Amino acid sequence: MTVPLWLWAAVLAAIVAMLAVDLFAHRRAHVIGVREAAGWSVFWVGTGVGFGALIWWQYGAEFGQQYFSGYLIEKSLAVDNVFVWAIILTYFAVPREYQHRVLFLGVLGALVFRGLFIAAGSVLIASFGWILYLFAAFLLYTGYRMIRQRDEHLDPEKSRALRLFRRYVPMTDAYHGQKFLVRRGGALLATPLLAVLVLIEITDIIFAVDSIPAIFAVTDEPFLVFTANAFAVLGLRAMYFLLADLIHRFVYLKIGLALVLVWVGIKMLLKIDVFYIPTPISLGVVATILTVSIVASLRATRGQGRRSLEAPTTPPFRVATAEETAALEPVWRMPGTRRRAKRAERDDSLSGGR
């Protein structure tokens, strides 16, 4: 598959443009409802599917099927990521109107890190063919671990990253709107929203470590790996607001995701020396596993409506009052601002003395 440089540039420009449109559409803090989230989800899924159709038309059925296989795997694994986000945002009692800003930056970071991982993975595979054995073994182990730990969930309170952040970064005890940094008493402080963003970025990196080897099992083309990841990740925010209150209904999804990882791990092992499983068969197996796990989950939880996760009785952080926010100093100061302020105070005191 030969991809010209201008096509890479065009795809990257399109991704940046879509991120800009999304940020502009949500520039004001507000609660995103189910209808709005559903509309954006349709838009992002339609964009990803439409791009896959272009790949199919321009490069043929084989590469089109490879793209859709990778997209389906990444999109399904992203659902588990969304559920972890819900746990984090609920535990820290992040006001719903501030959640989009955190998730927007989280997705932006996920795109950057996944791009780096994909570039590194492509170089490793091209230089060391035996690395595929490690990828396959990792996928099999990850799938086994997910099945064994299917009932375990992230506990933000025990997060080592959060403990390190609190130890080394001065932080307020209250949310100040959508601000990540504030200045109080001359000191620059992080808000709890920055701590939440750091934790979300770390979980994104962990999920990328699982998902990047999985997509390399269905395609070796860096362009397809990157674009399938990018278009799957771009819709994560909308997916969160659509599915966050339905976590309790996807009771078998984690088992389905684990089986997908096991399947692509087996496919990768066979591909190295034994037998190449045709892409349509691989795509059909992945789609069947996910469909069965989702249908079985919805049937098992039939009659249950939307339900938010249970928040802690005493949230670790609070929302600052209007008076506290109004008393904050500008975060970024122009050079000489502090000197001018001190000179003005000195002049005021001298004129008062006279």
Side-chain angles (χ1 to χ4, degrees):
M1 182 179 186
T2 303
V3 180
L5 188 60
W6 68 264
L7 184 54
W8 276 98
V11 169
L12 292 174
I15 290 172
V16 171
M18 287 187 289
L19 287 172
V21 169
D22 188 19
L23 183 61
F24 178 79
H26 299 91
R27 62 192 182 279
R28 293 183 180 179
H30 68 282
V31 177
I32 296 179
V34 175
R35 179 176 297 180
E36 182 180 356
W40 278 101
S41 294
V42 170
F43 170 78
W44 291 119
V45 171
T47 302
V49 172
F51 183 81
L54 288 176
I55 293 292
W56 196 306
W57 171 69
Q58 184 67 30
Y59 291 98
E62 176 61 24
F63 289 122
Q65 291 165 0
Q66 288 182 17
Y67 168 85
F68 280 115
S69 296
Y71 179 79
L72 184 59
I73 290 172
E74 295 302 320
K75 200 70 174 175
S76 59
L77 291 174
V79 176
D80 201 25
N81 200 357
V82 163
F83 292 168
V84 172
W85 284 357
I87 293 172
I88 293 173
L89 294 174
T90 301
Y91 173 80
F92 289 108
V94 179
R96 293 186 71 91
E97 60 269 26
Y98 305 152
Q99 291 178 2
H100 182 273
R101 180 65 57 86
V102 178
L103 297 181
F104 176 86
L105 294 176
V107 166
L108 189 61
L111 286 171
V112 172
F113 284 117
R114 285 170 184 251
L116 294 174
F117 287 169
I118 290 167
S122 299
V123 171
L124 288 174
I125 292 173
S127 304
F128 310 101
W130 52 264
I131 202 75
L132 292 175
Y133 290 104
L134 294 182
F135 283 180
F138 177 75
L139 290 172
L140 293 173
Y141 171 73
T142 303
Y144 164 76
R145 187 185 60 189
M146 285 182 67
I147 293 175
R148 188 171 182 178
Q149 300 175 351
R150 60 186 179 276
D151 296 325
E152 297 180 13
H153 301 286
L154 171 73
D155 186 353
E157 188 176 4
K158 297 179 181 178
S159 169
R160 185 178 302 175
L162 180 62
R163 290 201 301 269
L164 290 174
F165 186 89
R166 283 176 160 174
R167 179 182 301 176
Y168 295 107
V169 180
M171 189 171 67
T172 68
D173 64 343
Y175 295 104
H176 291 272
Q178 298 188 92
K179 299 179 184 295
F180 294 98
L181 295 170
V182 295
R183 188 179 293 277
R184 189 173 61 194
L188 190 64
L189 305 172
T191 69
L193 214 57
L194 183 59
V196 173
L197 176 60
V198 169
L199 199 55
I200 284 177
E201 291 289 5
I202 291 174
T203 60
D204 287 341
I205 292 173
I206 294 173
F207 276 97
V209 172
D210 290 344
S211 65
I212 298 302
I215 194 172
F216 272 115
V218 297
T219 179
D220 297 328
E221 298 294 336
F223 184 73
L224 298 182
V225 174
F226 174 75
T227 52
N229 261 276
F231 287 110
V233 168
L234 282 172
L236 277 183
R237 293 177 312 286
M239 187 187 297
Y240 164 78
F241 291 108
L242 186 64
L243 300 180
D245 294 340
L246 295 174
I247 295 177
H248 59 285
R249 297 206 59 187
F250 292 89
V251 290
Y252 299 124
L253 181 61
K254 200 159 191 176
I255 296 177
L257 296 177
L259 293 177
V260 167
L261 292 179
V262 171
W263 163 251
V264 295
I266 293 173
K267 181 181 185 299
M268 182 176 282
L269 278 178
L270 295 175
K271 174 183 174 182
I272 298 171
D273 296 316
V274 182
F275 174 70
Y276 175 73
I277 299 175
T279 303
I281 295 178
S282 178
L283 178 59
V285 170
V286 172
T288 300
I289 292 174
L290 293 174
T291 301
V292 170
S293 63
I294 292 173
V295 171
S297 296
L298 296 179
R299 286 180 61 87
T301 58
R302 193 169 38 221
Q304 299 184 23
R306 304 183 70 88
R307 186 175 71 216
S308 300
L309 290 176
E310 186 176 349
T313 306
T314 306
F317 304 110
R318 61 186 179 85
V319 177
T321 63
E323 291 77 13
E324 289 175 318
T325 301
L328 295 175
E329 305 164 22
V331 173
W332 309 115
R333 296 174 171 176
M334 298 296 292
T337 301
R338 182 175 295 181
R339 278 198 308 274
R340 288 195 296 270
K342 288 185 176 180
R343 189 181 302 119
E345 291 176 3
R346 186 171 61 251
D347 293 343
D348 289 342
S349 63
L350 289 175
S351 60
R354 288 196 297 269

